């Protein structure tokens, strides 16, 4: 495998009101939106300073008619998009879109794991042009990746086979079960667990770094979003809050203590 295989490399919000979402996340996370200049479509690039962090686009009508819901999607680098998408499918998952080329950018596919959680596969046209890494906790960047799975143990085995992720610490959450941290190249990048019964379907969610959790939660409320859970402290001293934006998309925020 290459040095990029299994690494989260991009995040994308597909939503029902792109302009409203641009204003909301600009206020809450501090992103600046810039037009990508992609011909034939309105695709905004969300920047933290000069660093590109994520993309934003309106949901195409055909996606809406097919039953897609607005959501954040994470893109994971793979060595061969077509082969990996086929592996997802043959192991009980699904291919929702692609594989397809983004001219001058790379090749991608949107897939679902065997339990239904959606994620995207990506191979850059020139992997060496990847942005430099940033320090953990840098505001405006993604600080954590979390999977609420139908079954956490089998989900981990699936992703470990596909992306090479390894087990890190496991935290006993009591009645909620085990929260399994996973790592890439020895660095913890996320966690996964069996979803609570009240959660209707498995899904990935993403935690955006902010300076301080309480002011960020207030910006969520003022912008018309909802606080679903928290703020609360998690092991390691960080604080998180789980939210829903005005278009009904779930996201989370993470900040250092204090």
């Amino acid at each position: 495998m290459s040095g990029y295989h299994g690494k989260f490399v991009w995040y994308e919000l597909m939503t029902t009101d792109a302009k409203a979402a641009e204003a909301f996340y600009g206020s809450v996370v501090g992103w600046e939106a810039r037009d990508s200049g992609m011909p034939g479509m309105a695709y905004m690039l969300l920047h933290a300073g000069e660093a590109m962090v994520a993309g934003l686009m309106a949901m195409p009508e055909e996606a809406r008619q097919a039953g897609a819901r607005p959501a954040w999607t994470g893109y994971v680098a793979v060595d061969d998009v077509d082969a990996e998408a086929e592996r997802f499918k043959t192991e009980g998952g699904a291919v929702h879109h692609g594989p397809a080329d983004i001219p001058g950018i790379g090749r991608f596919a949107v897939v679902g794991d065997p339990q239904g959680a959606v994620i995207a596969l990506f191979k850059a046209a020139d992997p060496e042009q990847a942005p430099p890494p940033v320090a953990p906790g840098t505001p405006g960047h993604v600080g954590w990746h979390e999977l609420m799975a139908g079954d956490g143990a089998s989900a981990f085995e699936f992703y470990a086979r596909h992306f090479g992720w390894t087990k890190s610490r496991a935290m006993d959450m009591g009645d909620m079960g085990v929260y399994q941290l996973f790592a890439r190249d020895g660095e913890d990048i996320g966690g996964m667990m069996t979803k609570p019964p009240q959660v209707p379907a498995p899904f990935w969610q993403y935690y955006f770094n902010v300076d301080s959790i309480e002011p960020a939660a207030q910006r969520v409320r003022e912008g018309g979003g909802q606080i679903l859970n928290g703020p609360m402290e998690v092991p390691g001293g960080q604080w998180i809050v789980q939210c829903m934006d005005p278009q009904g998309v779930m996201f989370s925020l993470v900040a250092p203590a204090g």
Side-chain angles (χ1 to χ4, degrees):
M1 293 187 295
S2 73
Y4 293 96
H5 189 94
K7 180 181 180 180
F8 279 93
V9 292
W10 190 244
Y11 308 90
E12 186 174 86
L13 173 61
M14 187 178 292
T15 186
T16 52
D17 190 334
K19 277 296 181 185
E22 178 184 320
F24 176 80
Y25 287 99
S27 170
V28 171
V29 185
W31 288 324
E32 177 190 352
R34 305 177 190 175
D35 195 315
S36 68
M38 295 179 69
M41 68 181 299
Y43 191 89
M44 304 303 292
L45 300 172
L46 304 177
H47 287 70
E50 290 304 310
M52 290 188 297
V53 177
L56 167 64
M57 64 180 291
M59 180 179 293
E61 184 58 33
E62 59 268 26
R64 194 183 314 216
Q65 291 179 357
R69 297 179 59 84
W72 279 100
T73 301
Y75 284 62
V76 178
V78 294
D79 293 333
D80 187 325
V81 170
D82 296 66
E84 203 63 59
E86 184 62 25
R87 287 183 64 204
F88 263 67
K89 188 175 180 179
T90 58
E91 292 186 29
V95 178
H96 298 298
H97 183 84
D101 289 321
I102 308 169
I105 304 297
R107 190 164 176 82
F108 80 103
V110 180
V111 295
D113 71 21
Q115 300 175 22
V118 174
I119 200 164
L121 311 172
F122 181 75
K123 183 176 182 180
D126 182 3
E128 297 306 318
Q129 294 301 312
V134 298
T138 300
H141 291 261
V142 177
W144 197 247
H145 314 88
E146 188 171 84
L147 174 63
M148 288 291 166
D151 177 77
S154 59
F156 175 82
E157 293 173 359
F158 176 84
Y159 285 102
R161 286 197 306 274
H162 284 263
F163 297 151
W165 295 341
T166 56
K167 284 186 177 180
S168 181
R169 293 168 293 155
M171 294 185 288
D172 187 344
M173 307 288 286
D175 292 342
M176 293 182 66
V178 174
Y179 188 84
Q180 177 65 59
L181 275 64
F182 61 92
R184 181 186 179 277
D185 291 340
E187 178 186 354
D188 290 348
I189 60 171
M192 56 182 73
M193 66 182 296
T194 301
K195 69 178 182 63
Q198 64 269 26
V199 174
F203 70 100
W204 279 96
Q205 67 169 324
Y206 305 96
Y207 287 70
F208 307 126
N209 293 325
V210 291
D211 286 320
S212 181
I213 208 69
E214 288 288 356
Q218 183 60 30
R219 294 194 297 272
V220 171
R221 299 184 190 96
E222 291 171 351
Q226 301 176 48
I227 303 300
L228 303 178
N229 188 28
M232 63 182 177
E233 189 175 12
V234 293
Q238 292 182 306
W239 284 78
I240 65 168
V241 63
Q242 295 166 338
C243 316
M244 185 176 290
D245 74 17
Q247 284 71 51
V249 178
M250 187 172 178
F251 69 99
S252 295
L253 304 172
V254 57

